[in-house]
Amino acid sequence: GENVEQHPSTLSVQEGDSAVIKCTYSDSASNYFPWYKQELGKGPQLIIDIRSNVGEKKDQRIAVTLNKTAKHFSLHITETQPEDSAVYFCAASTRLGYSSASKIIFGSGTRLSIRP
Amino acid sequence: NAGVTQTPKFRVLKTGQSMTLLCAQDMNHEYMYWYRQDPGMGLRLIHYSVGEGTTAKGEVPDGYNVSRLKKQNFLLGLESAAPSQTSVYFCASSRTGELFFGEGSRLTVL
């Protein structure tokens, strides 16, 4: 079945440095790749997403790149700040048949810590 | 606008007991999902629904049942709870792609 692998599981970076999280997916039909941020005691929230017809997308300090041939995508956070400390999940999605719903499969998460 | 609301937020069960988790959304979303979150395993899809009256199995459906009798509600049931079902459960809803999550329900089965 579909599978999404995420690395690393934990990441510690100095404040102001960049952080990179990488994911690979198995289902070649996947066409939507969101990233979610989960703060302690909260549900995950979408921070950025990319669709399969785009190779890169940027939103301020956050960027995502997608390589469909290799079936991998990455999250890049530049100029990291203390509030970036959280658990980050990548996900891959395949449309469900006739509907526009998507079956979204998540990676195992990366706990990002920003050192002051 | 409350978004996605899950009840209860915490529950402790004994092995073999049954319970139902309720998810309610006020965004008129068609699609609703139940995930479980376990350490080191991310979020795994239990069941989902593409509309009122419809449900389907996700990655880890065994031991759970769901119902979507009303568009705004998605219920997750455990008929006979097992310690392996100790987890944090998240409900989510969506219209076109972005998932909106509730704050989670922490279930402990002793």
Side-chain angles (χ1 to χ4, degrees), chain A residues 1 4 6 11 21 40 43 60 64 67-68 74 77-78 80-81 89 95 99-100 103 105 109 113-114:
Chain A
V4 177
Q6 182 172 347
L11 180 60
I21 302 170
L40 195 62
Q60 298 182 3
V64 58
N67 183 328
K68 282 218 75 178
S74 302
I77 306 174
T78 58
T80 53
Q81 300 170 3
F89 292 98
R95 286 206 180 277
S99 77
S100 56
K103 184 177 175 182
I105 304 298
S113 301
I114 308 301

Side-chain angles (χ1 to χ4, degrees), chain A residues 67-110:
Chain A
N67 183 328
K68 282 218 75 178
T69 303
K71 288 196 257 183
H72 67 69
F73 55 114
S74 302
L75 177 72
H76 304 252
I77 306 174
T78 58
E79 301 173 17
T80 53
Q81 300 170 3
E83 55 264 35
D84 295 330
S85 293
V87 178
Y88 291 81
F89 292 98
C90 64
S93 168
T94 308
R95 286 206 180 277
L96 298 168
Y98 63 89
S99 77
S100 56
S102 299
K103 184 177 175 182
I104 300 180
I105 304 298
F106 285 82
S108 54
T110 297

Side-chain angles (χ1 to χ4, degrees), chain A residues 20-82:
Chain A
V20 180
I21 302 170
K22 299 182 179 181
C23 290
T24 60
Y25 61 97
S26 62
D27 186 358
S28 56
S30 294
N31 52 19
Y32 173 63
F33 306 91
W35 286 86
Y36 285 80
K37 176 183 180 182
Q38 185 179 29
E39 297 178 342
L40 195 62
K42 302 277 189 183
Q45 282 194 303
L46 181 73
I47 54 171
I48 194 168
D49 57 13
I50 191 168
R51 298 195 179 271
S52 57
N53 58 346
V54 175
E56 184 173 354
K57 184 177 179 180
K58 189 173 182 180
D59 182 4
Q60 298 182 3
R61 296 186 297 107
I62 295 173
V64 58
T65 59
L66 171 65
N67 183 328
K68 282 218 75 178
T69 303
K71 288 196 257 183
H72 67 69
F73 55 114
S74 302
L75 177 72
H76 304 252
I77 306 174
T78 58
E79 301 173 17
T80 53
Q81 300 170 3

Side-chain angles (χ1 to χ4, degrees), chain A residues 36 38 44 89 100-102 104, chain B residues 31 33 35 37 90 99 101-102:
Chain A
Y36 285 80
Q38 185 179 29
F89 292 98
S100 56
S102 299
I104 300 180
Chain B
Y31 317 123
Y33 311 80
Y35 287 88
Q37 184 174 26
F90 284 97
L99 295 179
F101 284 88

